[in-house]
Amino acid sequence: MNGSEEIAVAGMSAGRSALRMGPAELVQAAAMARRFYLEGKSKIQIAEEFGVSRFKVARVLETALERDLVRIEIRVPAELDAERSDALRARYGLRHAVVVESPAEGEDESPDPENLGEVAADLLGELVTEGDVLGLAWGRSTIHMAAALDRLPPCTVVQLTGVYDAGTAERGSVEAVRRAAQVSGGEAHPIYAPMLLPDPATAAALRSQTGIARAFEYFDKVTVACVSIGSWEPGISTVHDMLSDEERAHYASLGVAAEMSAHLFDAEGRRVGRDLGERCITVEADRLRRIPEVVAIAGGQRKAAAIGAVLRSGLVTSLVTDRAAADYLLTESRPGTHPALDRTDPDGS
């Protein structure tokens, strides 16, 4: 952060702030305050940049003043990087981008540090409203997020993919769905089935089973989804690890660079290997694209290129990541943007 800047935006500590402002609100308030108070931009100019009405800009600035968030310098809690968050949001056309600090070297070398899940839990508490349908896809980061949830409005929670290993369902995404439903007090619709099946016929038979079919019926009703991203290498992509060596080589020959919810993407964000979806228990890509808010949780240098590929696909509207991945994403030569801001704004602004 630049210590010479003249506005402070505070309100969320490493624990849970009494103000209960979510990370996206804090990042957006910081960015708008910087534009208005330091750069001298008008509310109309700010509204055009953020894709909201000037009345919403006025409300954000008023709230910042009323809650004593605007002071002498721009400052967010140490775990949030407001400048990188704002730059990432603008570069990729995202609705929300939240960048958190990366673990100190040697502390956590996993692709998705657990602190991403903690911040994502706060973000979901901010984005989900009463009556929403929350969809959770399989992934270590979504499991960490669900474990960190401590507030969620009443909503229905549905599982969007099968599990990595049916034998660990109770400790994985099924438990994540149950945990989120417990916190919200809403219904849970888990999927007790593997994500990847041996052939399309087996997958089709499972989709027709009562419990799984009931979960699939909710896919078109999902308003907020939470997904993970994997790069095409061992231990970083669930799908990669479930395939045979021959199958991995085949999809690698198609240029696979990233995987999300069993959908494969090349470096430009184009879907490849669509035949794999016929063998998978997962939400279809077209349905994902129709969900108003799709939040991806992914970080680390090993996933950075894969995150960029998925962002270029246009299926993700918001991202929770860390500085290591953000630095790559902000400097790569082919950012590309997607129409996240053209989707329906949840608050109608």
Side-chain angles (χ1 to χ4, degrees):
M1 296 294 159
N2 188 338
S4 65
E5 290 184 321
E6 297 275 322
I7 299 174
V9 177
M12 174 179 160
S13 65
R16 298 287 197 270
S17 167
L19 289 177
R20 308 307 295 176
M21 289 191 74
E25 285 181 306
L26 285 165
V27 168
Q28 187 179 73
M32 289 184 175
R34 184 183 301 115
R35 305 290 195 277
F36 188 73
Y37 292 104
L38 293 182
E39 300 175 11
K41 290 190 176 181
S42 70
K43 293 175 184 176
I44 292 177
Q45 290 174 313
I46 297 171
E48 290 176 349
E49 178 182 350
F50 286 83
V52 299
S53 71
R54 61 186 177 87
F55 302 105
K56 180 171 182 178
V57 174
R59 289 199 303 271
V60 171
L61 295 175
E62 288 171 2
T63 299
L65 289 170
E66 291 169 357
R67 297 191 178 186
D68 196 29
L69 303 181
V70 175
R71 299 176 187 168
I72 298 186
E73 59 183 15
I74 295 180
R75 183 183 62 186
V76 293
E79 70 266 28
L80 298 181
D81 190 320
E83 289 187 14
R84 283 181 175 86
S85 298
D86 185 38
L88 200 60
R89 178 200 60 78
R91 185 174 175 86
Y92 286 88
L94 296 168
R95 181 174 290 122
H96 303 295
V98 181
V99 178
V100 305
E101 62 181 358
S102 299
E105 189 172 351
E107 277 189 11
D108 187 350
E109 297 180 359
S110 63
D112 294 318
E114 289 193 24
N115 63 336
L116 292 185
E118 295 168 2
V119 173
D122 269 338
L123 180 61
L124 279 191
E126 177 184 352
L127 297 179
V128 176
T129 59
E130 184 172 351
D132 275 346
V133 176
L134 172 62
L136 300 181
W138 160 263
R140 299 178 188 89
S141 57
T142 53
I143 293 170
H144 292 157
M145 180 277 300
L149 281 172
D150 68 353
R151 65 185 177 108
L152 207 59
C155 65
T156 299
V157 186
V158 60
Q159 194 168 322
L160 295 178
T161 65
V163 300
Y164 174 51
D165 180 352
T168 64
E170 294 297 324
R171 302 189 301 275
S173 48
V174 169
E175 177 56 30
V177 169
R178 286 178 169 173
R179 166 66 182 167
Q182 180 183 31
V183 172
S184 74
E187 295 181 359
H189 294 277
I191 293 178
Y192 294 94
M195 181 188 296
L196 180 66
L197 282 304
D199 53 71
T202 304
L206 276 178
R207 291 190 202 103
S208 66
Q209 290 188 357
T210 303
I212 298 174
R214 186 178 299 117
F216 267 65
E217 288 173 0
Y218 277 91
F219 286 0
D220 286 329
K221 303 174 185 178
V222 173
T223 49
V224 180
C226 191
V227 300
S228 297
I229 295 172
S231 57
W232 199 244
E233 57 180 304
I236 311 296
S237 165
T238 300
V239 173
H240 180 283
D241 292 346
M242 289 191 290
L243 294 172
S244 67
D245 289 341
E246 182 179 353
E247 290 171 324
R248 290 177 193 137
H250 165 67
Y251 290 115
S253 72
L254 301 179
V256 174
E259 173 261 317
M260 179 183 71
S261 301
H263 301 296
L264 309 181
F265 306 88
D266 68 11
E268 301 298 330
R270 296 180 295 245
R271 286 186 59 211
V272 295
R274 298 185 183 219
D275 60 302
L276 184 66
E278 297 176 4
R279 297 169 49 194
C280 292
I281 303 297
T282 186
V283 60
E284 299 94 328
D286 289 342
R287 279 175 159 171
L288 267 178
R289 195 179 298 278
R290 292 195 295 268
I291 296 174
E293 186 75 77
V294 179
V295 181
I297 313 171
Q301 290 182 338
R302 294 176 66 186
K303 281 193 176 183
I307 295 169
V310 173
L311 291 183
R312 282 186 284 276
S313 76
L315 294 176
V316 169
T317 62
S318 297
L319 174 69
V320 177
T321 191
D322 64 358
R323 288 175 183 166
D327 284 343
Y328 173 89
L329 294 169
L330 290 170
T331 56
E332 69 167 338
S333 59
R334 49 182 179 190
T337 57
H338 69 74
L341 294 178
D342 292 336
R343 299 193 187 199
T344 303
D345 194 315
D347 67 1
S349 299

